Amino acid sequence: MAIAELEYHAIIAELVNVDVINIHVGGVYNDKPTAMERFVANFSRLSKEVQDRLTLENDDKQYNPEDVLQLCHVLGVPFVYDVHHHRCTYGGPLPEEVITQTSMAAVSTWKNREPLFHISTPAFGWGSTNPRPHHQMIDYTDFPVCWKSFCVPFTLEVEAKAKEIAVLQLIDALINDGVVVRSAIAAVEESWDTIEIDTDSKYCRKRTRVKISKMSLGEVPPSPKPRTRTVPTHQVTGKRKPTTTNFPADQPSMKAIKKNNDK
């Protein structure tokens, strides 16, 4: 990301009172150590407004948690731990003790601020050739056990295609598992058993009513059917529809006019 873009984000963040600008480290350019040194050098070119908000996240291909933690300690910036990306670079599900150690290492970089973690589920499962794309929902088995009774409160960003629906189902699963969840949505759920969520489709926008208590993990409400319209045959085949002209009764037809002219 260009420095000018980060400075622009800092201006917006200041206006809306946001304290995190999260980015990945970037490319390795066939030489990761040199790329990391260049990242450190360019960090000094950022304004204080950007530096105070910048956080670094491990990605799913090149910079694993160890790499990012090294940069975070050098620069004094927080580490946003993405457990899905960690699993991708590892090659599949991680030992629970590794997730615990990495989570604790991430917490130490946040100092007096609340840590931010990311979670997602592979769209095609961990057995697929490409586990990086995100699923619509969160498979509860992908939620780290250590996070259920973590030593400090943390903010969790759910990266799922179904957005709020995925968040609601994850909250439901956590609460049923006895996990304390601090969420505005959960507070609403205590008084309402139905929540309306706007869902977008390619064709139309509609409201989907989600029954929290009856939805099972992994269940996705059906997408709205596209609107259809009748298309004239000539528009489908590309052939022009023949046209007819109705002349008034007292007006001769073109055929009659031509016949008179030939006389």
Side-chain angles (χ1 to χ4, degrees):
M1 180 176 286
I3 291 176
E5 289 184 79
L6 290 173
E7 297 295 345
Y8 171 77
H9 280 289
I11 294 172
I12 301 300
E14 182 72 24
L15 293 173
V16 297
N17 196 28
V18 170
D19 66 346
V20 169
I21 299 176
N22 185 51
I23 64 171
H24 291 293
V25 179
V28 297
Y29 308 103
N30 298 318
D31 188 349
K32 185 187 289 187
T34 300
M36 293 173 68
E37 291 175 2
R38 188 163 51 245
F39 188 95
V40 172
N42 285 327
F43 181 82
S44 62
R45 299 170 59 191
L46 301 173
S47 67
K48 185 177 185 302
E49 288 73 20
V50 176
Q51 291 184 3
D52 289 346
R53 291 178 171 85
L54 199 68
T55 61
L56 301 181
E57 176 189 347
N58 57 304
D59 62 56
D60 55 11
K61 286 184 178 181
Q62 299 168 139
Y63 288 94
N64 58 40
E66 291 76 14
D67 298 326
V68 181
L69 278 166
Q70 181 181 340
L71 286 171
C72 288
H73 288 308
V74 170
L75 300 174
V77 300
F79 169 43
V80 174
Y81 179 38
D82 189 312
V83 68
H84 174 73
H85 290 170
H86 194 182
R87 288 164 173 156
C88 288
T89 55
Y90 180 79
L94 283 161
E96 190 64 29
E97 58 269 20
V98 174
I99 297 177
T100 302
Q101 293 170 2
T102 308
S103 299
M104 293 302 299
V107 169
S108 68
T109 65
W110 286 86
K111 299 178 181 177
N112 296 324
R113 299 166 64 187
E114 183 169 296
L116 172 62
F117 296 158
H118 288 184
I119 190 171
S120 51
T121 288
F124 309 106
W126 288 112
S128 66
T129 56
N130 182 15
R132 291 190 294 272
H134 297 167
H135 196 280
Q136 292 190 49
M137 312 302 293
I138 299 297
D139 187 332
Y140 193 54
T141 60
D142 287 330
F143 195 92
V145 175
C146 66
W147 288 4
K148 297 178 184 180
S149 56
F150 206 55
C151 57
V152 296
F154 64 91
T155 298
L156 180 63
E157 184 173 310
V158 175
E159 298 180 323
K161 301 296 184 182
K163 302 184 185 300
E164 290 92 343
I165 297 175
V167 173
L168 289 168
Q169 287 194 358
L170 179 58
I171 289 174
D172 194 36
L174 288 168
I175 292 175
N176 289 337
D177 204 13
V179 179
V180 177
V181 179
R182 180 199 61 203
S183 169
I185 297 177
V188 171
E189 186 183 344
E190 293 177 1
S191 56
W192 295 347
D193 65 347
T194 304
I195 296 177
E196 288 191 351
I197 300 173
D198 283 339
T199 56
D200 288 313
S201 76
K202 180 179 178 181
Y203 302 96
C204 62
R205 183 176 180 86
K206 64 177 290 186
R207 282 192 173 275
T208 303
R209 296 186 69 82
V210 180
K211 280 283 187 181
I212 303 301
S213 58
K214 294 185 178 180
M215 291 183 69
S216 60
L217 194 65
E219 179 185 354
V220 183
S223 300
K225 294 182 179 180
R227 296 174 180 174
T228 59
R229 65 185 181 92
T230 303
V231 181
T233 305
H234 70 278
Q235 290 188 22
V236 177
T237 61
K239 297 180 180 179
R240 187 174 180 82
K241 184 179 179 181
T243 58
T244 57
T245 303
N246 296 320
F247 292 98
D250 58 346
Q251 181 176 340
S253 66
M254 293 297 295
K255 185 176 181 180
I257 294 173
K258 185 176 184 299
K259 186 176 181 180
N260 290 332
N261 290 338
D262 291 340
K263 289 182 180 179

